[in-house]
Amino acid sequence: MAAALKHWRTTLERVEKFVSPIYFTDYNLCGRLYRDSCPVAALSSFLTPERLSYQQAVQQDFRPVQVGDHFGPTWWTCWFRVELTIPEAWVGQEVHLRWESNGEGLVWRDGEPVQGLTTEGEKTSYVLTDRLGEGDPRSLTLYVEVACSGLLGAGKGSMIAAPDPEKTFQVSRAELAVFHRDVYKLLVDLELLLGIAKSLGEDNQRSFQALYTANQMVNVCDPAQPETFPVAQALASRFFGQRGGESQHTIHAIGHCHIDTAWLWPFKETVRKCARSWVTAVQLMEQNPSFIFACSQAQQLEWVKNHYPGLYTRLQECACRGQFVPVGGTWVEMDGNLPSGEAMVRQFLQGQNFFLQEFGKMCSEFWLPDTFGYSAQLPQIMRGCGISRFLTQKLSWNLVNTFPHHTFFWEGLDGSRVLAHFPPGDSYGMQGSVKEVLKTVTNNRDKGRTNHSAFLFGFGDGGGGPTQTMLDRLERLCNTDGLPRVQLSSPGRLFSELESDAGQLCTWVGELFLELHNGTYTTHAQIKKGNRDCERILHDVELLSSLALARSTQFLYPAVQLQYLWRLLLLNQFHDVVPGSCIQLVVEDAMSHYEDIRSHGNGLLSAAAAALCAGEPGPEGLLVVNTLPWKRTEVLALPKPGGAHTLGLISSAGDSAQHRLCSCSRPHLPAAPAAPAACVRSTRESPEDSFSRPPPTKTDGSVTLDNGILRVRLDPTGRLTSLVLVASGREAIAEGAVGNQFVLFDDVPLFWDAWDVMDYHLETRKLVLGQPGTLAVGTEGGLRGSAWFLLQLSPNSRLSQEVVLDVGCPYVRFHTEVHWQETHKFLKVEFPARVRSPQATYEIQFGHLQRPTHYNTSWDWARFEVWAHRWMDLSECGFGLALLNDCKYGASVRGNVLSLSLLRAPKAPDATADMGRHEFTYALMPHKGSFQDAGVIRAAYSLNFPLLALPAPGPAPAAAWSAFSLSTPAVVLETVKQAEANPLSRTLVLRLYEAHGSHVDCWLHTSLPVQEAVLCDLLEKRDPAGHLPLRDNRLKLSFSPFQVQSLLLVLQPPLD
């Protein structure tokens, strides 16, 4: 036959139509994939709002149904009994159950889950037999459990919209069919050849070779005559058998299935998503010995262990063969910004211990592909938990700047370094297409420095995972000229290759800031508040329980209860829960988890208090505990009989030069406090008069608070017109400006509603102005002075605030209550400072970092909204202003204006997000000198960890005592807990960090009966060279900037 001229487009489209599932299926190859079919013998179902076990479900009353019948609503479950009879004529054929539904399905056979079925995840058939034998049974019964939700939830009108509660579902196909595997293989080859032709383009020789090969296959292949298939197959094999050169980039294809622990579906649905996804992966591992599947999140594995023990056993068997590879090392894939440093440590502590116990080894890679930014302290935390490798891809979502690397060293705040890799395909849900494989090479921003890349394949976010077709594509592309080399690989093999050639890699220092999803620092304020509250409660419970353990032989440390509570908190720190980017059902579950932690935590505090008071002489009273490692004198509201409270000035024990951790005593109410009393006065009277009498009615409506440290002046609407540091007379508020100014912004992002606040929201700033005369005096002096006011934010939302100044306190507090009913609005509060600096400082986990206050470059202005923990500070030489908070995370400093983000009002995926009542406190602290020397860090801790006044079930200790103190304010004793290794052990773990950014030696003094002290890592593994000599109840520790150190204290048996 004479060679014919070929037109590129018509040739390409000819091949496309030959494999199309839509066009010409009566004649083309795709129409021959399933030829013979028959309906199922019988189909019956029952519907339930519950998520029942298989054993419960099969006992129910099943009623006959038809294909196409509707069922629902959203979040219900429909169980189907599927009775099958295979025709005799199909002996020797591969027989499938074809099942298509818009709900997620799970096939059960002989009482065990065997495969997930999801139309969106391209799993629409279950292989009954790969070759029907003469003696095989012709009749069998399967059950299919169908969730009334899709792979990505049930959004009304769009993926991220709030779920449609009335949505209905249907099974659109349920039949038996003969599957023609020779047709399938040809379809895979033709699809890949088309992909090569399209992706390499018309100016590439190999592209034309692929297209002409595919065209010739169409010429020789007659879909109606299977005897023509081998000739077409040989043409494809000849093309794919042409090898690439030795310099080809190597792609490490790793099976993956990202399952959000909760997002557009509730936690309980995730349990079933894990089963549907992983049972399919197990099936693929058993059929493909070279296939390796990476799986993160210990919480999900524990769920499967508890709910699907048979599947879990199969996973462990696959792990023993090296095919199922646990990665990540954490309890869940947590948010990378908002959890505290200690909570991040516990993610690894719980996760790594679980993986060691269940799979025999810990993870060596930190796996966090979908989190909204990464703290600069993560490298140190990873290193301390035995991990030196890190994988993510989320920075490919940057809206403004393209991150310059895919493989690099990431250096953290303290100088710790880890090897970081971002899959250059910029996805964790590849499907094995030629386009994705080529993008992995062309998009790689470290060409010449490394020749290996990860390729994570499998449907993700809502689960699903890899398919056999993805595996077949990748194996066909293993070593083909014109394409990179593709190998089925593991995370360990990938990182070993990267490490072996790491000499040319660049280093990125500091945080990995995601230039998107900045709204997640603020969305769902109640979740943020619950997170901060519960981190504090667990800190306090562990501390008091540790002291009770040290003081009493009778006290049993509540290790089991604390593990349960910590795991609840860690679960809520998943990267779509604490950021607030989840549906209302998830929010309700999260708030319930916080309530569990609060109620159980308070019970454990009471139990520890009872143990600390046991055997004490004296009358009943209160146990007052300072849970911070420095001396404090604070005004405390103390309970009185009948539910009332009285103010008392409480001083923790000890010499003022030492930093005491815990003092337990009966509180006293001194007649004359050592520091000047807080007072309230009008602007027309003298300060001397204010101590002797309450302020008169004020003629201009303003109020001044003065405690001898600060002088605070509020205008008649509650705005801050002056804040003076009394000793120096220095004014902190910018000239001609006012602080405590509430501002509203329009807040309409481009798409990701709960996630994003866009830079253009700053152009819509509107001042919220109050009515003069709403400011009133609250507490009139003595230990506390306060004023309060009401502010109408909008026709639908209002705010009330009490501005409080206590005796001896270096900051003024703003106790705020908001009733919020808005749509797409953003509330912030601003403080213009009389300070000039090109950078501001923000607290992060175990330290702080600086960010610019200007918009010089695109990297600067992309940080128009950033995150911080308990404080931020704007300082110049000799003076600064710090803004503290008790539950907020969103912040910014632009020029000289400190701004704290308070509330948002997004409508997707939760239409009720942030609606209702909110309570929070922020505080303002002007200071002389640096924020380190002025005690800003301690002040923020004090605001977040108030003195505890616990009712003593018996007599409280008559004398105060202190458990720990530190010789330098640069070091913070963050955590005191029992060691994990043995719940009955008398070993404590102490975690300390350097907070100022300095090299420093620190003496730790303890009054506890310590037998031995030794350094350990964050997983509490002893450092063989870490023995610490104990002299006069003191240990010496040396710190570098922002270093975290942990030590084990083995206690002597107490003398009870």
Side-chain angles (χ1 to χ4, degrees):
M1 185 178 66
L5 289 172
K6 294 182 180 65
H7 183 265
W8 171 272
R9 179 180 164 188
T10 56
T11 308
L12 193 74
E13 288 201 25
R14 179 198 186 196
V15 181
E16 286 178 335
K17 294 300 186 291
F18 191 67
V19 298
S20 171
I22 300 170
Y23 302 105
F24 306 112
T25 54
D26 58 334
Y27 178 78
N28 74 4
L29 188 64
C30 190
R32 300 280 169 166
L33 187 60
Y34 291 100
R35 291 305 288 170
D36 300 324
S37 66
C38 68
V40 299
L43 189 64
S44 54
S45 75
F46 90 94
L47 193 61
T48 171
E50 306 297 326
R51 293 176 176 87
L52 302 181
S53 68
Y54 172 84
Q55 289 76 14
Q56 293 171 310
V58 295
Q59 303 299 320
Q60 306 302 313
D61 182 23
F62 284 75
R63 306 280 177 89
V65 292
Q66 302 293 321
V67 171
D69 288 354
H70 286 263
F71 55 90
T74 304
W75 309 128
W76 284 46
T77 300
C78 194
W79 282 82
F80 291 88
R81 181 190 290 137
V82 187
E83 297 173 54
L84 309 172
T85 302
I86 304 174
E88 279 294 333
W90 293 1
V91 169
Q93 304 287 329
E94 182 172 337
V95 182
H96 290 196
L97 168 67
R98 299 185 74 190
W99 183 278
E100 293 179 23
S101 169
N102 56 343
E104 287 193 86
L106 178 62
V107 183
W108 292 81
R109 186 171 183 173
D110 302 327
E112 287 294 331
V114 288
Q115 188 190 298
L117 290 170
T118 55
T119 303
E120 298 156 288
E122 297 181 5
K123 297 178 181 70
T124 55
S125 72
Y126 166 62
V127 181
L128 293 167
T129 173
D130 56 6
R131 191 174 189 280
L132 184 66
E134 290 281 0
D136 290 347
R138 301 291 185 267
S139 298
L140 69 154
T141 299
L142 303 175
Y143 288 86
V144 182
E145 174 190 10
V146 179
C148 294
S149 56
L151 202 62
L152 294 172
K156 188 173 185 176
S158 79
M159 180 184 78
I160 66 164
D164 180 355
E166 302 304 321
K167 187 171 182 177
T168 60
F169 296 79
Q170 66 175 157
V171 174
S172 54
R173 185 196 297 270
E175 65 183 22
L176 292 176
V178 173
F179 179 77
H180 294 284
R181 192 154 292 276
D182 50 358
V183 172
Y184 164 79
K185 289 179 178 178
L186 282 173
L187 287 170
V188 170
D189 282 347
L190 284 165
E191 175 203 3
L192 292 174
L193 289 166
L194 276 171
I196 293 169
K198 288 178 183 176
S199 299
L200 293 180
E202 294 184 57
D203 57 353
N204 185 283
Q205 171 71 16
R206 189 65 170 155
S207 167
F208 274 90
Q209 291 173 359
L211 182 60
Y212 283 21
T213 299
N215 184 70
Q216 186 62 18
M217 288 172 68
V218 176
N219 286 338
V220 302
C221 177
D222 182 345
Q225 297 184 25
E227 61 270 20
T228 65
F229 295 173
V231 180
Q233 195 78 62
L235 288 168
S237 295
R238 189 168 68 201
F239 177 89
F240 288 112
Q242 292 171 334
R243 301 303 180 203
E246 288 184 17
S247 67
Q248 292 295 86
H249 189 86
T250 299
I251 285 175
H252 294 255
I254 302 164
H256 186 242
C257 177
H258 182 64
I259 303 177
D260 285 320
T261 298
W263 180 30
L264 304 176
W265 52 86
F267 291 106
K268 288 181 179 177
E269 193 55 46
T270 307
V271 179
R272 301 199 298 187
K273 282 179 174 288
C274 292
R276 291 189 286 260
S277 303
W278 295 350
V279 74
T280 308
V282 166
Q283 186 185 61
L284 290 173
M285 284 183 266
E286 291 169 349
Q287 294 165 358
N288 302 267
S290 58
F291 168 49
I292 294 171
F293 182 75
C295 181
S296 65
Q297 306 195 75
Q299 170 69 87
Q300 294 182 4
L301 285 159
E302 190 194 49
W303 281 337
V304 168
K305 179 183 179 182
N306 293 336
H307 291 86
Y308 303 91
L311 170 59
Y312 190 73
T313 299
R314 293 172 71 192
L315 289 172
Q316 289 179 311
E317 290 167 356
C318 291
C320 289
R321 297 196 301 269
Q323 286 186 270
F324 182 81
V325 180
V327 292
T330 51
W331 190 246
V332 297
E333 289 185 9
M334 74 281 195
D335 181 77
N337 301 323
L338 308 184
S340 69
E342 186 60 33
M344 285 186 166
V345 170
R346 300 307 177 92
Q347 286 283 357
F348 286 99
L349 186 63
Q350 292 296 325
Q352 290 284 54
N353 284 344
F354 178 90
F355 290 124
L356 179 63
Q357 181 179 327
E358 298 293 322
F359 295 93
K361 61 181 180 180
M362 293 185 179
C363 303
S364 56
E365 307 87 12
F366 182 34
W367 197 270
L368 205 58
D370 193 32
T371 289
F372 314 148
Y374 304 89
S375 166
Q377 274 290 27
L378 274 169
Q380 180 177 194
I381 294 170
M382 290 160 57
R383 279 284 188 178
C385 297
I387 289 177
S388 59
R389 302 160 166 182
F390 173 54
L391 183 142
T392 185
Q393 63 81 49
K394 197 65 177 185
L395 262 66
S396 67
W397 284 49
N398 270 8
L399 196 63
V400 181
N401 298 285
T402 300
F403 193 78
H405 302 294
H406 280 106
T407 306
F408 59 99
F409 285 108
W410 180 23
E411 184 175 306
L413 198 62
D414 73 314
S416 297
R417 295 209 317 170
V418 295
L419 177 59
H421 181 68
F422 300 174
D426 293 343
S427 172
Y428 50 73
M430 298 293 203
Q431 297 181 31
S433 73
V434 173
K435 182 179 179 181
E436 294 167 338
V437 166
L438 286 170
K439 181 182 177 182
T440 297
V441 180
T442 57
N443 197 46
N444 179 20
R445 283 185 283 279
D446 292 281
K447 297 181 185 78
R449 284 190 282 266
T450 179
N451 209 23
H452 294 263
S453 294
F455 185 97
L456 308 182
F457 66 97
F459 288 100
D461 291 334
T467 66
Q468 184 63 53
T469 302
M470 295 177 193
L471 279 163
D472 291 337
R473 288 171 188 149
L474 292 166
E475 290 193 336
R476 197 57 155 153
L477 297 176
C478 65
N479 189 359
T480 295
D481 186 28
L483 299 177
R485 187 178 291 110
V486 178
Q487 63 183 40
L488 297 180
S489 188
S490 67
R493 201 178 309 159
L494 164 73
F495 276 102
S496 293
E497 292 285 1
L498 296 175
E499 286 165 348
S500 68
D501 194 23
Q504 297 297 310
L505 295 181
C506 299
T507 298
W508 180 271
V509 178
E511 67 180 329
L512 294 172
F513 184 86
L514 178 65
E515 297 172 358
L516 199 69
H517 294 357
N518 320 53
T520 59
Y521 317 147
T522 305
T523 302
H524 268 302
Q526 294 288 21
I527 288 182
K528 276 40 171 196
K529 183 177 176 66
N531 180 68
R532 188 80 63 85
D533 279 355
C534 291
E535 287 178 341
R536 173 187 55 79
I537 288 167
L538 293 179
H539 167 278
D540 290 352
V541 169
E542 288 184 330
L543 171 64
L544 264 70
S545 299
S546 297
L547 299 183
L549 179 71
R551 299 264 291 189
S552 167
T553 50
Q554 308 305 313
F555 183 76
L556 191 63
Y557 189 91
V560 174
Q561 299 96 311
L562 276 166
Q563 182 185 72
Y564 167 75
L565 298 179
W566 263 111
R567 287 181 172 183
L568 277 185
L569 179 61
L570 300 179
L571 175 60
N572 275 7
Q573 289 178 344
F574 178 74
H575 65 253
D576 277 308
V577 181
V578 75
S581 50
C582 51
I583 61 171
Q584 186 179 356
L585 279 176
V586 178
V587 176
E588 291 168 359
D589 285 344
M591 297 309 294
S592 173
H593 295 162
Y594 290 136
E595 196 46 51
D596 273 1
I597 296 169
R598 287 182 177 111
S599 60
H600 286 97
N602 287 329
L604 295 176
L605 279 175
S606 297
L612 287 167
C613 293
E616 290 287 347
E620 291 189 14
L622 287 172
L623 184 71
V624 176
V625 184
N626 173 16
T627 61
L628 298 177
W630 47 80
K631 183 180 185 295
R632 296 161 70 186
T633 300
E634 291 178 12
V635 177
L636 198 59
L638 301 166
K640 285 181 12 182
H645 286 77
T646 185
L647 295 180
L649 188 69
I650 307 299
S651 181
S652 62
D655 184 323
S656 61
Q658 295 217 320
H659 315 288
R660 300 293 180 175
L661 175 64
C662 178
S663 60
C664 312
S665 66
R666 292 192 305 278
H668 55 283
L669 306 182
C679 66
V680 185
R681 69 173 195 273
S682 74
T683 55
R684 292 171 179 264
E685 61 176 331
S686 68
E688 292 78 13
D689 293 340
S690 68
F691 287 93
S692 58
R693 58 186 174 84
T697 304
K698 293 162 287 299
T699 54
D700 69 349
S702 67
V703 168
T704 299
L705 308 175
D706 191 331
N707 68 354
I709 300 171
L710 303 180
R711 186 161 60 249
V712 181
R713 187 170 187 265
L714 302 169
D715 77 3
T717 65
R719 296 183 305 177
L720 191 60
T721 56
S722 176
L723 176 61
V724 174
L725 204 53
V726 172
S728 64
R730 173 67 189 261
E731 174 63 63
I733 301 298
E735 187 175 354
V738 292
N740 204 35
Q741 173 67 66
F742 293 95
V743 285
L744 275 172
F745 299 84
D746 295 339
D747 186 15
V748 185
L750 297 175
F751 177 71
W752 297 101
D753 198 356
W755 294 259
D756 287 348
V757 56
M758 309 308 297
D759 55 346
Y760 53 75
H761 87 283
L762 296 170
E763 300 173 41
T764 66
R765 178 176 176 268
K766 297 178 184 68
L767 301 181
V768 181
L769 300 175
Q771 292 295 317
T774 58
L775 184 68
V777 173
T779 307
E780 296 192 350
L783 297 178
R784 171 171 293 167
S786 72
W788 65 275
F789 63 91
L790 301 173
L791 182 63
Q792 195 72 33
L793 298 170
S794 76
N796 300 317
S797 301
R798 67 186 188 275
L799 174 150
S800 62
Q801 188 173 77
E802 185 181 22
V803 184
V804 178
L805 187 61
D806 283 347
V807 61
C809 189
Y811 51 81
V812 55
R813 300 199 305 280
F814 301 83
H815 296 305
T816 312
E817 180 180 325
V818 180
H819 292 265
W820 182 248
Q821 294 292 336
E822 297 295 327
T823 298
H824 295 300
K825 296 293 181 184
F826 197 167
L827 178 68
K828 303 184 186 183
V829 64
E830 295 178 348
F831 294 91
R834 191 164 168 257
V835 174
R836 180 171 175 79
S837 174
Q839 58 187 21
T841 306
Y842 302 83
E843 189 195 33
I844 68 165
Q845 299 83 356
F846 298 133
H848 57 263
L849 48 71
Q850 284 75 41
R851 300 184 181 114
T853 60
H854 55 75
Y855 291 173
N856 276 2
T857 71
S858 60
W859 294 89
D860 298 332
W861 70 256
R863 301 179 191 215
F864 58 87
E865 176 81 2
V866 298
W867 61 273
H869 281 204
R870 290 167 290 220
W871 59 269
M872 57 177 159
D873 181 85
L874 184 66
S875 289
E876 60 188 35
C877 181
F879 183 80
L881 184 62
L883 181 53
L884 325 176
N885 74 84
D886 72 347
C887 62
K888 298 298 173 188
Y889 296 91
S892 65
V893 181
R894 184 181 180 188
N896 68 328
V897 179
L898 292 87
S899 176
L900 187 66
S901 299
L902 303 177
L903 294 168
R904 294 186 70 219
K907 298 303 170 189
D910 178 5
T912 69
D914 280 318
M915 297 302 98
R917 180 176 171 276
H918 298 268
E919 275 190 79
F920 49 86
T921 297
Y922 53 88
L924 204 58
M925 180 177 171
H927 59 84
K928 180 184 176 184
S930 70
F931 67 85
Q932 292 98 328
D933 294 341
V936 165
I937 297 169
R938 289 184 168 188
Y941 266 94
S942 296
L943 182 69
N944 281 268
F945 291 86
L947 292 171
L948 296 180
L950 302 171
W961 61 278
S962 171
F964 300 100
S965 64
L966 301 169
S967 64
T968 170
V971 175
V972 175
L973 176 52
E974 178 74 11
T975 299
V976 180
K977 64 180 285 287
Q978 186 189 51
E980 298 281 317
N982 179 0
L984 299 177
S985 79
R986 292 181 51 75
T987 302
L988 300 183
V989 172
L990 272 59
R991 187 138 33 248
L992 309 94
Y993 73 95
E994 198 289 319
H996 285 185
S998 60
H999 285 88
V1000 66
D1001 291 336
C1002 173
W1003 287 94
L1004 168 70
H1005 181 276
T1006 179
S1007 64
L1008 302 187
V1010 176
Q1011 186 171 298
E1012 181 191 9
V1014 61
L1015 292 171
C1016 63
D1017 65 11
L1018 296 178
L1019 299 180
E1020 304 178 9
K1021 180 183 175 185
R1022 283 172 172 251
D1023 178 351
H1027 178 76
L1028 297 169
L1030 189 67
R1031 301 190 191 93
D1032 301 323
N1033 294 321
R1034 295 196 308 160
L1035 301 166
K1036 185 180 180 182
L1037 298 165
S1038 294
F1039 288 84
S1040 57
F1042 305 116
Q1043 183 182 5
V1044 180
Q1045 292 199 52
S1046 304
L1047 55 147
L1048 298 167
L1049 295 184
V1050 182
L1051 301 178
Q1052 300 167 2
L1055 302 172
D1056 243 21

